[in-house]
Amino acid sequence: MPRPHYVAAIDQGTTSSRCIVFDQAGHIISVAQREHRQIFPRPGWVEHDADEIWQAVRGVLEEAVSGAGIEDAQIAALGITNQRETTVLWERATGRPVCPAVVWQDTRTDALTRALAEHEGLFKERAGLPLATYFSGPKIRWLLDAYGLRERAERGEVLFGTMDSWLLWNLTGRHLTDVTNASRTMLMNIHTLAWDDELLAALGVPRAMLPEIRPSAEVYGHTAAGVPVAAALGDQQAALFGQTCFAPGEVKSTYGSGSFLLMNTGQEPVVSKHGLLTTVGYRIGDGPATYALEGAIAVTGSLVQWLRDNLGLISSAAEIETLARTVDDNGGCYFVPAFSGLFAPHWRADARGVIAGLTGFVNKGHIARAVLEATAWQTREVVDAMNADSGLDLTTLRADGGMTADNLLMQTLADVLAVPVIRPMVAETTALGAAYAAGLATGYWPDLDSLRANWHKAAEWRPAIDESTREREYRNWKKAVARTLGWVEQEG
Amino acid sequence: MPNCARVPGVGETIQSVERAAAILRLLASGHRQLGVAELARAMGLPKGTLHGILRTLVHVGFVEQDQATGKYRLGATLLHLGSSYLDVNELRTRSINWADALAGRSRESAWIGTLHEGHVLVIHHVFRPDDSMQTLQVGTYLPTHASALGKVLLAHDPYAEPPAPPLHPHTKRTLVEPAALEAELDRVRARGWAAEMEELTEGEVAIAAPIKDRRGIVVGAIGIRGAVERLAPGETLNMEFVSYVRDAARAITRDLAR
């Protein structure tokens, strides 16, 4: 009898690296995880040590395979999914990083991005992205200047990559990036899927340091143990793929510290008029690219953590539901967590958080309700923007991520969106998406339909409030949002 | 005068309990660990007297002895005395991946319940993975005597009072005799899992096993429910399903111990 084969996925995240081994039904066989350091040299700065991350990835890969009780030869394919935008520069000759990796949350490029304001239209049109500290391009520019690396980069001695590139370099020895990660750099033309000279010139990034842009699923090379490395996708794109959102109009929403909604928009990029990002969803082999609209919400799960760590109102994140259920409604109170400004669809860096509608009646239970409702209403704002941009109406929301364990939140989401909310059986959709793409590239799974057949509904919440209540609450939420704007006065 | 233990009268106190309390206060007063000599000095007592009290406190888990230094510190049992309650939403969060895996492997719906005012409160429900129309049952109640989850919880509840008769006959196979239920609960305790064979709904069978916290106290039950033809063809329970359920319960128990 031939030994069974499996697919492994590396999920290189912001706080940890994990490796998960899946079987053909998409069930988890084993998991290994290692955390890495978050380095905060100054307020607003966040760095990682790329060497440390590579060591962690090597470790979890070995652990997950041995933990599954199998050998490398039984791994049919290895996929990679990664924290997006985080920027690594390394030396071609030695493969050693030449500076710290600058993490997506890092805001050191604030002044630099503001100075690019004259190019705002160019970035929106060509790269599909607003000007924000979030993306890789300004981070590269900052590092080249700060570490005096420009000349070496122009000679191709110093290389740039997002985490997918860094891992592919170390695993296969090639300097590549996948198209979804490239779509987060502000350097790639979203229409041609190639590096764009005008974007490079606007940011002052030399072409010689950039990796080759490849599809999200193809055999890039083999590991030292001979395993084909066959997929790379940014984490949110991987979740879209893991949720099998293969048809235009299908939407997934991942609830972690922040939340990310992605809508498959088919084979044409849709340039948003409502504050969403245009991004590449995935590209399988030589097939056409599938695009997505993305709504990024900065603070959702991290608001629950804030309630736990900064206010001490709960002792674990899960207890937010217990506290919220001590009351029947929000008591007239609304919480807009614009802790570092508002992301989609507003993109207002000058906003700061408010709790509105306070009266002597409001207690901590009402605040807990308002905290959960904040995630739901922020989702509603992004869904409204997606519906307006795509001309499609959302019919169901596929939710994943840690917060889907919160039943009250899931019910509230269904109530405010007025559509059913569905949780899939495999909560690890990010790693699953990378495994799916790698398995497709190597023929482990024959086609998208075989992946769809693996998707099962684990739970469904249906809307249970009436339209007038929904409209009244949305109006109140919008009033609260209006009160966050213009709080921070622009320096200089 | 007859030789008998003195029973303290009203208003009197027991000296050794007071001394034990004083030891606990000393150990709780700082981050350090204390040796017998230090404790003896602090309390003005002979080491021999302290040894007996410390041995008893270690035995009940209120005090631990460091293997390397031989010194004493507060025990984990004592630290968790005040926080015995496990939030049901916390239990769901910690169980969700394992409940998904259970539903995936068994191809049946998975359920987690806790005791609430004499009923089983459903705190988590995973649909049967066949994409048929199903309704989320979180927040609903099941009868303790006629469900596998309920039998597990009754069998392990330290405050258990058997449900007051008359027990409602949900089907003709429901256990309605208190003695029959008591015998069933003994079986559940002995083998570590419970089955319910068409005792709640005709044509449906359920299996459940206990979820324990780090102190070994049962805080919930996890199980599956499905058609008798699949789970118990020919009226005989397919033991493969029992092992799936027990694996899931053990995995969550391990997780809660971390």
Side-chain angles (χ1 to χ4, degrees):
Chain A
M1 206 175 94
R3 287 181 308 174
H5 279 67
Y6 304 90
V7 172
I10 291 167
D11 179 359
Q12 202 301 299
T14 306
T15 57
S16 72
S17 301
R18 305 196 306 157
C19 182
I20 303 186
V21 177
F22 294 94
D23 69 11
Q24 204 143 16
H27 294 153
I28 294 175
I29 301 299
S30 74
V31 183
Q33 176 166 0
R34 285 192 197 175
E35 297 196 350
H36 57 261
R37 286 172 305 144
Q38 307 293 313
I39 304 160
F40 304 105
R42 293 187 204 182
W45 289 30
V46 191
E47 298 177 350
H48 288 162
D49 175 347
D51 259 339
E52 181 188 0
I53 285 178
W54 164 236
Q55 294 308 328
V57 165
R58 261 205 338 202
V60 293
L61 179 57
E62 200 180 294
E63 244 177 82
V65 172
S66 63
I70 58 175
E71 291 162 14
D72 285 322
Q74 282 171 273
I75 301 293
L78 175 65
I80 296 170
T81 176
N82 58 289
Q83 54 166 322
R84 306 178 300 176
E85 297 101 10
T86 297
T87 298
V88 188
L89 302 190
W90 68 92
E91 197 175 46
R92 183 191 292 275
T94 61
R96 300 301 307 274
V98 292
C99 56
V102 178
V103 180
W104 58 273
Q105 299 140 323
D106 189 296
T107 55
R108 74 182 67 183
T109 53
D110 188 28
L112 203 155
T113 39
R114 267 188 280 133
L116 290 167
E118 54 168 322
H119 301 295
E120 189 170 7
L122 177 75
F123 286 113
K124 183 84 198 149
E125 173 52 37
R126 297 274 178 89
L129 303 174
L131 282 173
T133 59
Y134 187 17
F135 306 108
S136 315
K139 297 184 199 290
I140 305 173
R141 165 67 178 274
W142 190 94
L143 287 169
L144 290 178
D145 293 345
Y147 287 84
L149 295 166
R150 176 166 303 281
E151 284 174 18
R152 299 190 63 204
E154 280 166 357
R155 291 197 298 268
E157 292 168 18
V158 166
L159 305 179
F160 154 75
T162 39
M163 276 299 165
D164 58 314
S165 284
W166 171 240
L167 297 181
L168 286 171
W169 169 269
N170 281 290
L171 286 166
T172 71
R174 301 180 68 195
H175 188 214
L176 312 172
T177 188
D178 111 278
V179 64
T180 69
N181 276 292
S183 76
R184 316 293 294 188
T185 57
M186 299 178 82
L187 301 172
M188 188 187 82
N189 184 317
I190 196 91
H191 307 276
T192 62
L193 307 180
W195 303 124
D196 185 293
D197 284 327
E198 276 185 71
L199 294 174
L200 294 178
L203 278 161
V205 171
R207 184 181 273 269
M209 72 185 306
L210 300 179
E212 184 187 343
I213 300 173
R214 301 299 312 168
S216 325
E218 69 170 17
V219 178
Y220 305 118
H222 293 79
T223 67
V227 176
V229 183
L233 290 149
D235 50 11
Q236 298 305 326
Q237 283 88 344
L240 183 76
F241 205 73
Q243 284 262 33
T244 66
C245 293
F246 302 142
E250 289 183 332
V251 177
K252 75 89 199 177
S253 185
T254 302
Y255 291 93
S257 301
S259 292
F260 296 84
L261 279 82
L262 268 73
M263 173 189 268
N264 182 324
T265 58
Q267 288 163 18
E268 293 299 324
V270 175
V271 174
S272 176
K273 293 183 175 62
H274 300 90
L276 304 176
L277 315 181
T278 309
T279 202
V280 178
Y282 53 88
R283 183 175 173 212
I284 304 303
D286 296 333
T290 296
Y291 289 89
L293 276 172
E294 172 174 321
I297 307 169
V299 177
T300 54
S302 56
L303 179 57
V304 176
Q305 287 163 355
W306 183 84
L307 214 66
R308 180 193 65 194
D309 300 337
N310 294 34
L311 296 192
L313 283 183
I314 47 177
S315 60
S316 75
E319 280 174 32
I320 185 84
E321 183 172 354
T322 312
L323 182 56
R325 283 191 193 275
T326 59
V327 293
D328 293 327
D329 55 35
N330 60 21
C333 140
Y334 301 82
F335 196 150
V336 186
F339 289 171
S340 46
L342 286 169
F343 279 26
H346 308 283
W347 296 102
R348 290 286 296 258
D350 61 343
R352 284 300 178 268
V354 300
I355 305 177
L358 291 179
T359 62
F361 173 73
V362 169
N363 64 35
K364 59 185 177 181
H366 298 117
I367 305 266
R369 283 254 168 192
V371 161
L372 291 179
E373 289 176 5
T375 292
W377 288 118
Q378 290 186 99
T379 303
R380 168 71 189 260
E381 290 178 327
V382 169
V383 166
D384 283 358
M386 278 184 172
N387 288 345
D389 274 338
S390 67
L392 301 165
D393 272 341
L394 182 77
T395 54
T396 54
L397 184 76
R398 296 179 171 198
D400 56 67
M403 283 181 98
T404 56
D406 192 312
N407 269 273
L408 182 57
L409 173 62
M410 293 296 105
Q411 182 59 53
T412 308
L413 265 176
D415 288 343
V416 310
L417 297 177
V419 299
V421 172
I422 289 170
R423 181 176 82 79
M425 192 79 103
V426 178
E428 302 285 353
T429 52
T430 303
L432 185 63
Y436 278 172
L440 268 185
T442 57
Y444 182 76
W445 284 291
D447 51 26
L448 295 181
D449 282 339
S450 64
L451 302 179
R452 270 203 196 89
N454 276 350
W455 188 93
H456 295 294
K457 189 195 290 183
E460 176 173 355
W461 293 265
R462 301 187 191 111
I465 60 171
D466 59 53
E467 190 56 33
S468 63
T469 307
R470 181 178 302 123
E471 287 312 311
R472 184 193 68 223
E473 290 298 307
Y474 199 11
R475 256 197 328 276
N476 287 340
W477 166 260
K478 285 176 171 166
K479 281 193 289 186
V481 169
R483 278 158 178 76
T484 68
L485 305 177
W487 181 265
V488 178
E489 289 165 24
Q490 196 68 264
E491 299 156 26
Chain B
M1 196 172 159
N3 185 11
C4 68
R6 228 173 67 76
V7 177
V10 177
E12 290 185 66
T13 55
I14 302 174
Q15 195 181 39
S16 55
V17 175
E18 285 182 338
R19 285 175 174 167
I23 291 174
L24 293 177
R25 275 201 206 97
L26 276 171
L27 292 176
S29 65
H31 291 297
R32 58 207 175 125
Q33 309 180 349
L34 294 173
V36 181
E38 293 161 300
L39 283 166
R41 245 195 329 277
M43 296 178 61
L45 288 173
K47 282 198 213 170
T49 310
L50 275 177
H51 265 303
I53 299 172
L54 282 167
R55 202 166 42 243
T56 310
L57 287 172
V58 168
H59 175 70
V60 298
F62 283 14
V63 166
E64 288 171 357
Q65 189 173 16
D66 188 295
Q67 295 295 330
T69 64
K71 294 188 173 189
Y72 294 90
R73 58 170 178 257
L74 291 183
T77 308
L78 188 64
L79 299 178
H80 294 121
L81 259 190
S83 58
S84 58
Y85 170 75
L86 178 67
D87 186 280
V88 295
N89 295 308
E90 180 72 23
L91 178 57
R92 183 192 312 112
T93 300
R94 304 282 287 270
S95 310
I96 194 162
N97 278 341
W98 303 114
D100 279 354
L102 175 59
R105 290 173 77 188
S106 66
R107 320 292 299 164
E108 300 292 351
S109 59
W111 304 70
I112 296 177
T114 58
L115 276 186
H116 185 80
E117 293 175 354
H119 301 275
V120 178
L121 171 65
V122 175
I123 65 153
H124 188 50
H125 172 205
V126 184
F127 290 171
R128 188 174 58 250
D130 59 7
D131 300 318
S132 62
M133 184 73 172
Q134 295 166 72
T135 302
L136 203 62
Q137 300 293 338
V138 174
T140 62
Y141 290 99
L142 298 171
T144 49
H145 70 287
S147 65
L149 294 172
K151 288 180 189 177
V152 166
L153 295 168
L154 276 185
H156 294 94
D157 183 8
Y159 310 106
E161 288 174 30
L167 298 175
H168 180 73
H170 294 272
T171 69
K172 58 180 189 295
R173 301 185 60 168
T174 309
L175 298 176
V176 290
E177 292 300 326
L181 181 61
E182 208 37 64
E184 170 78 352
L185 297 183
D186 282 339
R187 261 195 307 279
V188 170
R189 272 186 289 266
R191 66 189 183 190
W193 54 275
E196 172 255 300
M197 310 287 286
E198 301 189 77
E199 294 156 50
L200 182 60
T201 308
E202 276 184 37
E204 284 190 13
V205 166
I207 303 165
I211 299 169
K212 297 174 185 171
D213 71 4
R214 66 174 84 213
R215 297 158 303 159
I217 292 174
V218 172
V219 290
I222 183 167
I224 56 175
R225 162 168 291 278
V228 62
E229 308 85 72
R230 292 193 301 261
L231 293 184
E235 302 269 303
T236 322
L237 206 56
N238 181 338
M239 292 306 286
E240 200 178 339
F241 290 103
V242 174
S243 66
Y244 291 157
V245 170
R246 300 188 76 188
D247 285 350
R250 275 193 288 261
I252 299 166
T253 297
R254 263 199 308 277
D255 226 329
L256 292 179
R258 270 192 268 184

